Amino acid sequence: MEQELLLECQRNNRNAQRIVYEKMAGRLYSVCKRYLKNDEDIEEVLADTFYKIFTKITQLQNADTFEAWARKIAVNECLQKLRSSKGLFISLEENFTDHSEGTTENLSLEKDILSLLNFLPEGCRAIFNLFAIEGYPHKEIATMLSISEGTSKSQLNFARKKLQELLVNQNI
């Protein structure tokens, strides 16, 4: 992101904020979509993310880190939304319902895999995203979600197994 544009955002220039929003909205929407299923929740979290970006942009020290900083805000807002929703984690003994039967979409492998994340329970999906996509270690995930490292690892393992089952069922 351009240094001058971010400086204008720090000065509360609405035009600069609109430009930043237009440049970042699609990317941050994709981040939120990996964590949340409901479009209304995604839109709410995205609005909260941009509110936080524009109210805390004066804390940003380096324009080169803006995108990573904005992504981190989006992830944290998604996690906050998940924490406030009912039951973030599932019992590992709980039966997993395969919702993918009858799906005949012929999408690219990446899109297929990302769409299969929607069939995971919220807790597993969040941990899978944080570990496999965002690259956070289990220790940091545990701290972010106020869980043990063991819970993070077991939820990731559960998510991987279920994704494998879904991939086999989809013949991907």
Side-chain angles (χ1 to χ4, degrees), residues 13-158:
N13 179 316
R14 298 295 179 214
N15 191 41
Q17 290 174 341
R18 181 186 52 76
I19 293 168
V20 168
Y21 176 85
E22 289 172 354
K23 287 184 174 190
M24 294 297 298
R27 290 180 222 165
L28 295 179
Y29 183 91
S30 295
V31 169
C32 295
K33 184 79 172 150
R34 287 198 313 263
Y35 290 90
L36 306 168
K37 289 182 185 179
N38 184 323
D39 285 334
E40 290 148 2
D41 289 343
I42 294 168
E43 292 294 331
E44 179 184 336
V45 166
L46 196 58
D48 292 343
T49 297
F50 277 104
Y51 174 77
K52 194 164 273 184
I53 287 170
F54 293 132
T55 57
K56 300 202 180 275
I57 199 162
T58 57
Q59 298 173 2
L60 184 65
Q61 300 297 319
N62 184 351
D64 294 337
T65 62
F66 175 76
E67 285 192 43
W69 179 73
R71 283 176 62 92
K72 187 165 188 158
I73 291 172
V75 168
N76 287 335
E77 289 297 313
C78 288
L79 295 177
Q80 183 63 35
K81 182 69 174 175
L82 289 172
R83 274 189 222 106
S84 69
S85 69
K86 59 183 182 344
L88 181 58
F89 299 99
I90 63 158
S91 165
L92 296 180
E93 289 79 36
E94 183 178 309
N95 286 334
F96 180 81
T97 305
D98 181 2
H99 299 285
S100 64
E101 291 183 56
T103 304
T104 57
E105 295 177 356
N106 196 9
L107 302 171
S108 69
L109 181 59
E110 182 180 341
K111 283 187 177 182
D112 284 341
I113 292 171
L114 289 176
S115 71
L116 292 178
L117 291 178
N118 288 325
F119 297 114
L120 294 176
E122 287 180 342
C124 292
R125 186 173 64 248
I127 290 172
F128 182 85
N129 278 313
L130 289 169
F131 184 83
I133 298 175
E134 303 291 340
Y136 288 99
H138 285 291
K139 186 173 186 169
E140 197 167 340
I141 293 169
T143 301
M144 291 168 81
L145 298 176
S146 301
I147 59 173
S148 70
E149 281 185 65
T151 300
S152 177
K153 290 175 183 177
S154 66
Q155 293 285 315
L156 176 66
N157 188 44
F158 182 83

